[in-house]
Amino acid sequence: TDDVDTAYISYVYGPLTVAYQVSNTDTYTATQSDDEATRWGVLYAVNDEMSISYHDHVNDDSTVTTDEEVTGWGASYTVGSMTFKAHRNKGTNLGNTTGQESEHTEIGVTFAF
């Protein structure tokens, strides 16, 4: 069986939200491994219509020397019944494997009726 624990905290002060999370997974198999992940993010509400955010994630697997790292940002703007949004994420060493990279960018518009 695996032993998993996680703890997080978030703090809101006016238009600013900051969050931090730490997770740990101990796997008990023929080769015991320890998987530690740290995540944090910040969101700023510019006004009632617009917000921007940034996040960071690092995963440390004790069985390999390469850490998985993911960063990204997002933004949204609402006017009337339309919301314009965009985000971009970039991951390196995905799955704790050297050279495994991924980038994702998305831009969208939603309409509320």
Side-chain angles (χ1 to χ4, degrees), residues 3-39:
D3 188 16
V4 179
D5 58 77
T6 189
Y8 69 92
I9 186 170
S10 63
Y11 182 74
V12 178
Y13 182 76
L16 187 67
T17 302
V18 178
Y20 182 80
Q21 179 179 355
V22 177
S23 300
N24 186 42
T25 304
D26 293 323
T27 303
Y28 301 101
T29 59
T31 57
Q32 182 178 351
S33 67
D34 186 23
D35 198 22
E36 297 176 2
T38 304
R39 298 169 181 90

PDB file of all heavy atoms in Angstrom, residues 3-39:
ATOM      1  N   ASP A   3       1.458   5.309   1.161  1.00  0.00           N
ATOM      2  CA  ASP A   3       1.168   6.228   2.249  1.00  0.00           C
ATOM      3  C   ASP A   3       1.214   7.635   1.657  1.00  0.00           C
ATOM      4  O   ASP A   3       2.253   8.069   1.166  1.00  0.00           O
ATOM      5  CB  ASP A   3       2.214   6.063   3.352  1.00  0.00           C
ATOM      6  CG  ASP A   3       1.886   6.850   4.598  1.00  0.00           C
ATOM      7  OD1 ASP A   3       0.726   7.280   4.725  1.00  0.00           O
ATOM      8  OD2 ASP A   3       2.796   7.030   5.424  1.00  0.00           O
ATOM      9  N   VAL A   4       0.081   8.332   1.679  1.00  0.00           N
ATOM     10  CA  VAL A   4      -0.024   9.641   1.030  1.00  0.00           C
ATOM     11  C   VAL A   4      -0.454  10.685   2.054  1.00  0.00           C
ATOM     12  O   VAL A   4      -1.378  10.455   2.829  1.00  0.00           O
ATOM     13  CB  VAL A   4      -1.054   9.602  -0.119  1.00  0.00           C
ATOM     14  CG1 VAL A   4      -1.184  10.965  -0.785  1.00  0.00           C
ATOM     15  CG2 VAL A   4      -0.706   8.539  -1.129  1.00  0.00           C
ATOM     16  N   ASP A   5       0.229  11.827   2.047  1.00  0.00           N
ATOM     17  CA  ASP A   5      -0.231  12.949   2.863  1.00  0.00           C
ATOM     18  C   ASP A   5      -0.035  14.236   2.081  1.00  0.00           C
ATOM     19  O   ASP A   5       0.826  14.340   1.211  1.00  0.00           O
ATOM     20  CB  ASP A   5       0.511  13.011   4.206  1.00  0.00           C
ATOM     21  CG  ASP A   5       2.008  13.130   4.060  1.00  0.00           C
ATOM     22  OD1 ASP A   5       2.477  14.238   3.747  1.00  0.00           O
ATOM     23  OD2 ASP A   5       2.707  12.121   4.264  1.00  0.00           O
ATOM     24  N   THR A   6      -0.880  15.199   2.375  1.00  0.00           N
ATOM     25  CA  THR A   6      -0.797  16.496   1.702  1.00  0.00           C
ATOM     26  C   THR A   6      -1.249  17.583   2.667  1.00  0.00           C
ATOM     27  O   THR A   6      -2.071  17.337   3.553  1.00  0.00           O
ATOM     28  CB  THR A   6      -1.639  16.511   0.413  1.00  0.00           C
ATOM     29  OG1 THR A   6      -1.360  17.715  -0.311  1.00  0.00           O
ATOM     30  CG2 THR A   6      -3.115  16.410   0.693  1.00  0.00           C
ATOM     31  N   ALA A   7      -0.710  18.756   2.503  1.00  0.00           N
ATOM     32  CA  ALA A   7      -1.102  19.915   3.294  1.00  0.00           C
ATOM     33  C   ALA A   7      -1.091  21.137   2.383  1.00  0.00           C
ATOM     34  O   ALA A   7      -0.252  21.241   1.486  1.00  0.00           O
ATOM     35  CB  ALA A   7      -0.140  20.118   4.457  1.00  0.00           C
ATOM     36  N   TYR A   8      -2.040  22.020   2.595  1.00  0.00           N
ATOM     37  CA  TYR A   8      -2.062  23.232   1.787  1.00  0.00           C
ATOM     38  C   TYR A   8      -2.574  24.398   2.610  1.00  0.00           C
ATOM     39  O   TYR A   8      -3.221  24.214   3.648  1.00  0.00           O
ATOM     40  CB  TYR A   8      -2.921  23.051   0.529  1.00  0.00           C
ATOM     41  CG  TYR A   8      -4.397  22.935   0.815  1.00  0.00           C
ATOM     42  CD1 TYR A   8      -5.214  24.067   0.820  1.00  0.00           C
ATOM     43  CD2 TYR A   8      -4.977  21.707   1.071  1.00  0.00           C
ATOM     44  CE1 TYR A   8      -6.565  23.963   1.093  1.00  0.00           C
ATOM     45  CE2 TYR A   8      -6.324  21.594   1.335  1.00  0.00           C
ATOM     46  CZ  TYR A   8      -7.116  22.724   1.344  1.00  0.00           C
ATOM     47  OH  TYR A   8      -8.448  22.620   1.612  1.00  0.00           O
ATOM     48  N   ILE A   9      -2.254  25.576   2.140  1.00  0.00           N
ATOM     49  CA  ILE A   9      -2.733  26.797   2.766  1.00  0.00           C
ATOM     50  C   ILE A   9      -3.007  27.803   1.660  1.00  0.00           C
ATOM     51  O   ILE A   9      -2.294  27.848   0.660  1.00  0.00           O
ATOM     52  CB  ILE A   9      -1.709  27.356   3.781  1.00  0.00           C
ATOM     53  CG1 ILE A   9      -2.295  28.544   4.534  1.00  0.00           C
ATOM     54  CG2 ILE A   9      -0.401  27.700   3.101  1.00  0.00           C
ATOM     55  CD1 ILE A   9      -1.455  28.991   5.712  1.00  0.00           C
ATOM     56  N   SER A  10      -4.056  28.571   1.826  1.00  0.00           N
ATOM     57  CA  SER A  10      -4.320  29.666   0.898  1.00  0.00           C
ATOM     58  C   SER A  10      -4.680  30.896   1.714  1.00  0.00           C
ATOM     59  O   SER A  10      -5.264  30.789   2.798  1.00  0.00           O
ATOM     60  CB  SER A  10      -5.432  29.311  -0.091  1.00  0.00           C
ATOM     61  OG  SER A  10      -6.641  29.094   0.580  1.00  0.00           O
ATOM     62  N   TYR A  11      -4.295  32.038   1.205  1.00  0.00           N
ATOM     63  CA  TYR A  11      -4.522  33.289   1.905  1.00  0.00           C
ATOM     64  C   TYR A  11      -5.042  34.318   0.917  1.00  0.00           C
ATOM     65  O   TYR A  11      -4.488  34.464  -0.182  1.00  0.00           O
ATOM     66  CB  TYR A  11      -3.213  33.775   2.535  1.00  0.00           C
ATOM     67  CG  TYR A  11      -3.364  35.046   3.323  1.00  0.00           C
ATOM     68  CD1 TYR A  11      -3.983  35.046   4.564  1.00  0.00           C
ATOM     69  CD2 TYR A  11      -2.893  36.252   2.828  1.00  0.00           C
ATOM     70  CE1 TYR A  11      -4.131  36.206   5.298  1.00  0.00           C
ATOM     71  CE2 TYR A  11      -3.035  37.427   3.549  1.00  0.00           C
ATOM     72  CZ  TYR A  11      -3.656  37.391   4.781  1.00  0.00           C
ATOM     73  OH  TYR A  11      -3.803  38.548   5.500  1.00  0.00           O
ATOM     74  N   VAL A  12      -6.102  34.994   1.300  1.00  0.00           N
ATOM     75  CA  VAL A  12      -6.701  36.019   0.456  1.00  0.00           C
ATOM     76  C   VAL A  12      -6.592  37.355   1.173  1.00  0.00           C
ATOM     77  O   VAL A  12      -6.978  37.475   2.342  1.00  0.00           O
ATOM     78  CB  VAL A  12      -8.183  35.702   0.152  1.00  0.00           C
ATOM     79  CG1 VAL A  12      -8.796  36.799  -0.694  1.00  0.00           C
ATOM     80  CG2 VAL A  12      -8.314  34.348  -0.522  1.00  0.00           C
ATOM     81  N   TYR A  13      -6.052  38.338   0.494  1.00  0.00           N
ATOM     82  CA  TYR A  13      -5.962  39.685   1.034  1.00  0.00           C
ATOM     83  C   TYR A  13      -6.378  40.648  -0.065  1.00  0.00           C
ATOM     84  O   TYR A  13      -5.634  40.856  -1.035  1.00  0.00           O
ATOM     85  CB  TYR A  13      -4.535  39.986   1.507  1.00  0.00           C
ATOM     86  CG  TYR A  13      -4.406  41.356   2.122  1.00  0.00           C
ATOM     87  CD1 TYR A  13      -4.875  41.603   3.408  1.00  0.00           C
ATOM     88  CD2 TYR A  13      -3.832  42.401   1.414  1.00  0.00           C
ATOM     89  CE1 TYR A  13      -4.768  42.858   3.979  1.00  0.00           C
ATOM     90  CE2 TYR A  13      -3.715  43.657   1.966  1.00  0.00           C
ATOM     91  CZ  TYR A  13      -4.192  43.881   3.252  1.00  0.00           C
ATOM     92  OH  TYR A  13      -4.088  45.116   3.811  1.00  0.00           O
ATOM     93  N   GLY A  14      -7.566  41.168   0.048  1.00  0.00           N
ATOM     94  CA  GLY A  14      -8.089  42.054  -0.994  1.00  0.00           C
ATOM     95  C   GLY A  14      -8.163  41.324  -2.321  1.00  0.00           C
ATOM     96  O   GLY A  14      -8.726  40.227  -2.410  1.00  0.00           O
ATOM     97  N   PRO A  15      -7.553  41.872  -3.358  1.00  0.00           N
ATOM     98  CA  PRO A  15      -7.629  41.252  -4.684  1.00  0.00           C
ATOM     99  C   PRO A  15      -6.591  40.144  -4.906  1.00  0.00           C
ATOM    100  O   PRO A  15      -6.554  39.535  -5.965  1.00  0.00           O
ATOM    101  CB  PRO A  15      -7.357  42.415  -5.629  1.00  0.00           C
ATOM    102  CG  PRO A  15      -6.449  43.303  -4.847  1.00  0.00           C
ATOM    103  CD  PRO A  15      -6.922  43.195  -3.411  1.00  0.00           C
ATOM    104  N   LEU A  16      -5.746  39.869  -3.906  1.00  0.00           N
ATOM    105  CA  LEU A  16      -4.644  38.928  -4.065  1.00  0.00           C
ATOM    106  C   LEU A  16      -4.938  37.612  -3.350  1.00  0.00           C
ATOM    107  O   LEU A  16      -5.344  37.604  -2.185  1.00  0.00           O
ATOM    108  CB  LEU A  16      -3.362  39.539  -3.496  1.00  0.00           C
ATOM    109  CG  LEU A  16      -2.065  38.780  -3.715  1.00  0.00           C
ATOM    110  CD1 LEU A  16      -1.721  38.768  -5.201  1.00  0.00           C
ATOM    111  CD2 LEU A  16      -0.957  39.426  -2.918  1.00  0.00           C
ATOM    112  N   THR A  17      -4.742  36.499  -4.044  1.00  0.00           N
ATOM    113  CA  THR A  17      -4.861  35.170  -3.450  1.00  0.00           C
ATOM    114  C   THR A  17      -3.543  34.441  -3.670  1.00  0.00           C
ATOM    115  O   THR A  17      -3.034  34.391  -4.792  1.00  0.00           O
ATOM    116  CB  THR A  17      -5.998  34.350  -4.104  1.00  0.00           C
ATOM    117  OG1 THR A  17      -7.222  35.064  -3.952  1.00  0.00           O
ATOM    118  CG2 THR A  17      -6.119  32.974  -3.482  1.00  0.00           C
ATOM    119  N   VAL A  18      -2.996  33.879  -2.585  1.00  0.00           N
ATOM    120  CA  VAL A  18      -1.749  33.125  -2.647  1.00  0.00           C
ATOM    121  C   VAL A  18      -2.017  31.747  -2.053  1.00  0.00           C
ATOM    122  O   VAL A  18      -2.668  31.633  -1.006  1.00  0.00           O
ATOM    123  CB  VAL A  18      -0.622  33.833  -1.866  1.00  0.00           C
ATOM    124  CG1 VAL A  18       0.649  33.019  -1.909  1.00  0.00           C
ATOM    125  CG2 VAL A  18      -0.391  35.229  -2.411  1.00  0.00           C
ATOM    126  N   ALA A  19      -1.528  30.699  -2.700  1.00  0.00           N
ATOM    127  CA  ALA A  19      -1.753  29.334  -2.217  1.00  0.00           C
ATOM    128  C   ALA A  19      -0.461  28.528  -2.331  1.00  0.00           C
ATOM    129  O   ALA A  19       0.357  28.764  -3.229  1.00  0.00           O
ATOM    130  CB  ALA A  19      -2.859  28.664  -3.011  1.00  0.00           C
ATOM    131  N   TYR A  20      -0.300  27.570  -1.399  1.00  0.00           N
ATOM    132  CA  TYR A  20       0.894  26.728  -1.356  1.00  0.00           C
ATOM    133  C   TYR A  20       0.475  25.326  -0.921  1.00  0.00           C
ATOM    134  O   TYR A  20      -0.330  25.177  -0.005  1.00  0.00           O
ATOM    135  CB  TYR A  20       1.900  27.318  -0.356  1.00  0.00           C
ATOM    136  CG  TYR A  20       3.192  26.557  -0.259  1.00  0.00           C
ATOM    137  CD1 TYR A  20       4.192  26.734  -1.205  1.00  0.00           C
ATOM    138  CD2 TYR A  20       3.424  25.669   0.780  1.00  0.00           C
ATOM    139  CE1 TYR A  20       5.392  26.050  -1.120  1.00  0.00           C
ATOM    140  CE2 TYR A  20       4.620  24.982   0.881  1.00  0.00           C
ATOM    141  CZ  TYR A  20       5.598  25.175  -0.069  1.00  0.00           C
ATOM    142  OH  TYR A  20       6.776  24.490   0.021  1.00  0.00           O
ATOM    143  N   GLN A  21       1.018  24.298  -1.566  1.00  0.00           N
ATOM    144  CA  GLN A  21       0.679  22.914  -1.250  1.00  0.00           C
ATOM    145  C   GLN A  21       1.924  22.037  -1.299  1.00  0.00           C
ATOM    146  O   GLN A  21       2.773  22.198  -2.175  1.00  0.00           O
ATOM    147  CB  GLN A  21      -0.351  22.362  -2.227  1.00  0.00           C
ATOM    148  CG  GLN A  21      -0.717  20.916  -1.965  1.00  0.00           C
ATOM    149  CD  GLN A  21      -1.753  20.381  -2.937  1.00  0.00           C
ATOM    150  OE1 GLN A  21      -2.273  21.104  -3.768  1.00  0.00           O
ATOM    151  NE2 GLN A  21      -2.043  19.114  -2.834  1.00  0.00           N
ATOM    152  N   VAL A  22       2.015  21.120  -0.336  1.00  0.00           N
ATOM    153  CA  VAL A  22       3.084  20.132  -0.298  1.00  0.00           C
ATOM    154  C   VAL A  22       2.437  18.757  -0.191  1.00  0.00           C
ATOM    155  O   VAL A  22       1.537  18.557   0.632  1.00  0.00           O
ATOM    156  CB  VAL A  22       4.023  20.358   0.900  1.00  0.00           C
ATOM    157  CG1 VAL A  22       5.081  19.286   0.963  1.00  0.00           C
ATOM    158  CG2 VAL A  22       4.661  21.728   0.829  1.00  0.00           C
ATOM    159  N   SER A  23       2.870  17.817  -1.030  1.00  0.00           N
ATOM    160  CA  SER A  23       2.346  16.451  -1.003  1.00  0.00           C
ATOM    161  C   SER A  23       3.496  15.463  -0.936  1.00  0.00           C
ATOM    162  O   SER A  23       4.568  15.712  -1.494  1.00  0.00           O
ATOM    163  CB  SER A  23       1.510  16.156  -2.258  1.00  0.00           C
ATOM    164  OG  SER A  23       0.422  17.041  -2.344  1.00  0.00           O
ATOM    165  N   ASN A  24       3.266  14.332  -0.290  1.00  0.00           N
ATOM    166  CA  ASN A  24       4.285  13.297  -0.164  1.00  0.00           C
ATOM    167  C   ASN A  24       3.619  11.934  -0.345  1.00  0.00           C
ATOM    168  O   ASN A  24       2.602  11.650   0.272  1.00  0.00           O
ATOM    169  CB  ASN A  24       4.946  13.381   1.216  1.00  0.00           C
ATOM    170  CG  ASN A  24       6.100  12.429   1.347  1.00  0.00           C
ATOM    171  OD1 ASN A  24       6.896  12.285   0.439  1.00  0.00           O
ATOM    172  ND2 ASN A  24       6.192  11.773   2.487  1.00  0.00           N
ATOM    173  N   THR A  25       4.205  11.110  -1.194  1.00  0.00           N
ATOM    174  CA  THR A  25       3.710   9.752  -1.422  1.00  0.00           C
ATOM    175  C   THR A  25       4.852   8.775  -1.200  1.00  0.00           C
ATOM    176  O   THR A  25       5.877   8.843  -1.882  1.00  0.00           O
ATOM    177  CB  THR A  25       3.164   9.583  -2.855  1.00  0.00           C
ATOM    178  OG1 THR A  25       2.149  10.555  -3.081  1.00  0.00           O
ATOM    179  CG2 THR A  25       2.609   8.183  -3.063  1.00  0.00           C
ATOM    180  N   ASP A  26       4.688   7.884  -0.238  1.00  0.00           N
ATOM    181  CA  ASP A  26       5.651   6.820   0.006  1.00  0.00           C
ATOM    182  C   ASP A  26       5.082   5.537  -0.584  1.00  0.00           C
ATOM    183  O   ASP A  26       3.991   5.113  -0.227  1.00  0.00           O
ATOM    184  CB  ASP A  26       5.890   6.624   1.509  1.00  0.00           C
ATOM    185  CG  ASP A  26       6.585   7.816   2.132  1.00  0.00           C
ATOM    186  OD1 ASP A  26       7.454   8.397   1.463  1.00  0.00           O
ATOM    187  OD2 ASP A  26       6.254   8.170   3.276  1.00  0.00           O
ATOM    188  N   THR A  27       5.812   4.930  -1.506  1.00  0.00           N
ATOM    189  CA  THR A  27       5.378   3.699  -2.152  1.00  0.00           C
ATOM    190  C   THR A  27       6.197   2.543  -1.598  1.00  0.00           C
ATOM    191  O   THR A  27       7.427   2.579  -1.623  1.00  0.00           O
ATOM    192  CB  THR A  27       5.571   3.796  -3.677  1.00  0.00           C
ATOM    193  OG1 THR A  27       4.854   4.938  -4.144  1.00  0.00           O
ATOM    194  CG2 THR A  27       5.064   2.558  -4.373  1.00  0.00           C
ATOM    195  N   TYR A  28       5.502   1.543  -1.086  1.00  0.00           N
ATOM    196  CA  TYR A  28       6.167   0.386  -0.484  1.00  0.00           C
ATOM    197  C   TYR A  28       6.029  -0.811  -1.419  1.00  0.00           C
ATOM    198  O   TYR A  28       5.056  -1.533  -1.406  1.00  0.00           O
ATOM    199  CB  TYR A  28       5.546   0.067   0.880  1.00  0.00           C
ATOM    200  CG  TYR A  28       5.647   1.229   1.837  1.00  0.00           C
ATOM    201  CD1 TYR A  28       4.561   2.058   2.069  1.00  0.00           C
ATOM    202  CD2 TYR A  28       6.839   1.516   2.470  1.00  0.00           C
ATOM    203  CE1 TYR A  28       4.663   3.132   2.938  1.00  0.00           C
ATOM    204  CE2 TYR A  28       6.950   2.590   3.342  1.00  0.00           C
ATOM    205  CZ  TYR A  28       5.856   3.396   3.572  1.00  0.00           C
ATOM    206  OH  TYR A  28       5.966   4.461   4.428  1.00  0.00           O
ATOM    207  N   THR A  29       7.021  -0.961  -2.291  1.00  0.00           N
ATOM    208  CA  THR A  29       7.093  -2.108  -3.202  1.00  0.00           C
ATOM    209  C   THR A  29       8.488  -2.698  -3.053  1.00  0.00           C
ATOM    210  O   THR A  29       9.184  -2.407  -2.088  1.00  0.00           O
ATOM    211  CB  THR A  29       6.842  -1.661  -4.654  1.00  0.00           C
ATOM    212  OG1 THR A  29       7.819  -0.679  -5.013  1.00  0.00           O
ATOM    213  CG2 THR A  29       5.440  -1.073  -4.823  1.00  0.00           C
ATOM    214  N   ALA A  30       8.905  -3.491  -4.017  1.00  0.00           N
ATOM    215  CA  ALA A  30      10.251  -4.075  -3.961  1.00  0.00           C
ATOM    216  C   ALA A  30      11.310  -2.980  -3.865  1.00  0.00           C
ATOM    217  O   ALA A  30      12.324  -3.138  -3.199  1.00  0.00           O
ATOM    218  CB  ALA A  30      10.496  -4.950  -5.183  1.00  0.00           C
ATOM    219  N   THR A  31      11.061  -1.856  -4.541  1.00  0.00           N
ATOM    220  CA  THR A  31      11.953  -0.699  -4.420  1.00  0.00           C
ATOM    221  C   THR A  31      11.132   0.453  -3.851  1.00  0.00           C
ATOM    222  O   THR A  31      10.263   0.994  -4.524  1.00  0.00           O
ATOM    223  CB  THR A  31      12.537  -0.292  -5.777  1.00  0.00           C
ATOM    224  OG1 THR A  31      11.455  -0.030  -6.678  1.00  0.00           O
ATOM    225  CG2 THR A  31      13.422  -1.370  -6.350  1.00  0.00           C
ATOM    226  N   GLN A  32      11.391   0.808  -2.624  1.00  0.00           N
ATOM    227  CA  GLN A  32      10.633   1.877  -1.985  1.00  0.00           C
ATOM    228  C   GLN A  32      10.989   3.213  -2.622  1.00  0.00           C
ATOM    229  O   GLN A  32      12.152   3.496  -2.893  1.00  0.00           O
ATOM    230  CB  GLN A  32      10.937   1.937  -0.492  1.00  0.00           C
ATOM    231  CG  GLN A  32      10.132   2.997   0.211  1.00  0.00           C
ATOM    232  CD  GLN A  32      10.385   3.023   1.711  1.00  0.00           C
ATOM    233  OE1 GLN A  32      11.040   2.154   2.253  1.00  0.00           O
ATOM    234  NE2 GLN A  32       9.858   4.025   2.360  1.00  0.00           N
ATOM    235  N   SER A  33       9.969   4.036  -2.880  1.00  0.00           N
ATOM    236  CA  SER A  33      10.216   5.349  -3.452  1.00  0.00           C
ATOM    237  C   SER A  33       9.470   6.411  -2.658  1.00  0.00           C
ATOM    238  O   SER A  33       8.474   6.137  -1.997  1.00  0.00           O
ATOM    239  CB  SER A  33       9.801   5.401  -4.922  1.00  0.00           C
ATOM    240  OG  SER A  33       8.406   5.273  -5.041  1.00  0.00           O
ATOM    241  N   ASP A  34       9.977   7.600  -2.735  1.00  0.00           N
ATOM    242  CA  ASP A  34       9.397   8.744  -2.053  1.00  0.00           C
ATOM    243  C   ASP A  34       9.158   9.822  -3.106  1.00  0.00           C
ATOM    244  O   ASP A  34      10.099  10.253  -3.774  1.00  0.00           O
ATOM    245  CB  ASP A  34      10.363   9.236  -0.974  1.00  0.00           C
ATOM    246  CG  ASP A  34       9.774  10.330  -0.114  1.00  0.00           C
ATOM    247  OD1 ASP A  34       8.537  10.423  -0.044  1.00  0.00           O
ATOM    248  OD2 ASP A  34      10.553  11.093   0.492  1.00  0.00           O
ATOM    249  N   ASP A  35       7.918  10.233  -3.262  1.00  0.00           N
ATOM    250  CA  ASP A  35       7.537  11.207  -4.275  1.00  0.00           C
ATOM    251  C   ASP A  35       7.048  12.463  -3.563  1.00  0.00           C
ATOM    252  O   ASP A  35       6.032  12.427  -2.879  1.00  0.00           O
ATOM    253  CB  ASP A  35       6.432  10.604  -5.143  1.00  0.00           C
ATOM    254  CG  ASP A  35       6.251  11.313  -6.461  1.00  0.00           C
ATOM    255  OD1 ASP A  35       7.187  11.980  -6.910  1.00  0.00           O
ATOM    256  OD2 ASP A  35       5.162  11.178  -7.047  1.00  0.00           O
ATOM    257  N   GLU A  36       7.782  13.569  -3.707  1.00  0.00           N
ATOM    258  CA  GLU A  36       7.410  14.820  -3.050  1.00  0.00           C
ATOM    259  C   GLU A  36       7.066  15.869  -4.094  1.00  0.00           C
ATOM    260  O   GLU A  36       7.831  16.101  -5.026  1.00  0.00           O
ATOM    261  CB  GLU A  36       8.554  15.319  -2.173  1.00  0.00           C
ATOM    262  CG  GLU A  36       8.891  14.384  -1.040  1.00  0.00           C
ATOM    263  CD  GLU A  36      10.091  14.862  -0.233  1.00  0.00           C
ATOM    264  OE1 GLU A  36      10.642  15.938  -0.537  1.00  0.00           O
ATOM    265  OE2 GLU A  36      10.470  14.145   0.698  1.00  0.00           O
ATOM    266  N   ALA A  37       5.925  16.525  -3.919  1.00  0.00           N
ATOM    267  CA  ALA A  37       5.488  17.553  -4.856  1.00  0.00           C
ATOM    268  C   ALA A  37       5.226  18.856  -4.102  1.00  0.00           C
ATOM    269  O   ALA A  37       4.658  18.846  -3.012  1.00  0.00           O
ATOM    270  CB  ALA A  37       4.224  17.115  -5.577  1.00  0.00           C
ATOM    271  N   THR A  38       5.664  19.946  -4.705  1.00  0.00           N
ATOM    272  CA  THR A  38       5.433  21.277  -4.154  1.00  0.00           C
ATOM    273  C   THR A  38       4.748  22.113  -5.218  1.00  0.00           C
ATOM    274  O   THR A  38       5.195  22.148  -6.366  1.00  0.00           O
ATOM    275  CB  THR A  38       6.767  21.951  -3.761  1.00  0.00           C
ATOM    276  OG1 THR A  38       7.452  21.099  -2.857  1.00  0.00           O
ATOM    277  CG2 THR A  38       6.527  23.299  -3.125  1.00  0.00           C
ATOM    278  N   ARG A  39       3.657  22.768  -4.813  1.00  0.00           N
ATOM    279  CA  ARG A  39       2.906  23.612  -5.754  1.00  0.00           C
ATOM    280  C   ARG A  39       2.611  24.951  -5.086  1.00  0.00           C
ATOM    281  O   ARG A  39       2.315  24.998  -3.900  1.00  0.00           O
ATOM    282  CB  ARG A  39       1.587  22.952  -6.124  1.00  0.00           C
ATOM    283  CG  ARG A  39       1.730  21.631  -6.812  1.00  0.00           C
ATOM    284  CD  ARG A  39       0.376  20.925  -6.899  1.00  0.00           C
ATOM    285  NE  ARG A  39       0.498  19.653  -7.535  1.00  0.00           N
ATOM    286  CZ  ARG A  39       0.743  18.516  -6.902  1.00  0.00           C
ATOM    287  NH1 ARG A  39       0.891  18.507  -5.597  1.00  0.00           N
ATOM    288  NH2 ARG A  39       0.847  17.388  -7.558  1.00  0.00           N
TER     289      ARG A  39
END
